[in-house]
Amino acid sequence: MIGKSVVKKLSAAFVVAGCAFVAVVALGATVFYALALVLPPLGAAAATAGLFALIAIVVAIVFLGAAGGRREEEPVEPEGLGARAYALFRERPILGTVAALAGGFVILRNPALVTMLVAAFTEKPFGRRGRY
């Protein structure tokens, strides 16, 4: 059943996130108490906070790709109605599902639209003529 696998995966993700949180808090406490041996408590707290802020900034730069200044390629506009529908479902699945349900409702109300939709989806691009 699909629901059980989703629940198992969500449970595993929450357990991993909880363990990661506990590990980070324990690491922070360890760093604080290690620095408290050589610094006053206020200085140890400031140094620990600064260290974790620096780690957060480095991780954000590495994972978000801001350090390289890379630009994403502009998406190519799909040709034809079928390719556009596929791109819509791929990029925005919820919006695509709503559009499909609305289209299904309209088709149920007027079956003559089925022929128009089939013709639109099987339409060939204008640049190619004849058989190869």
Side-chain angles (χ1 to χ4, degrees):
M1 190 172 189
I2 294 173
K4 277 188 175 181
S5 66
V6 170
V7 169
K8 285 181 182 180
K9 287 180 183 179
L10 277 175
S11 299
F14 285 137
V15 167
V16 168
C19 290
F21 177 74
V22 170
V24 169
V25 169
L27 177 65
T30 303
V31 169
F32 170 75
Y33 285 119
L35 288 174
L37 294 174
V38 292
L39 296 174
L42 189 58
T48 303
L51 175 70
F52 276 84
L54 181 67
I55 291 172
I57 290 171
V58 168
V59 168
I61 288 174
V62 168
F63 282 111
L64 296 178
R70 290 176 268 162
R71 292 187 309 188
E72 293 184 20
E73 296 179 9
E74 293 183 19
V76 177
E77 184 69 29
E79 294 182 15
L81 189 58
R84 287 182 184 169
Y86 177 72
L88 175 70
F89 274 100
R90 193 158 180 213
E91 293 173 4
R92 298 184 178 138
I94 294 175
L95 181 63
T97 304
V98 169
L101 289 173
F105 179 74
V106 169
I107 287 173
L108 286 175
R109 301 286 291 171
N110 189 357
L113 292 175
V114 174
T115 36
M116 290 185 347
L117 281 174
V118 169
F121 276 102
T122 57
E123 176 182 304
K124 293 183 180 179
F126 289 109
R128 301 167 70 184
R129 292 184 186 233
R131 290 187 169 165
Y132 293 100

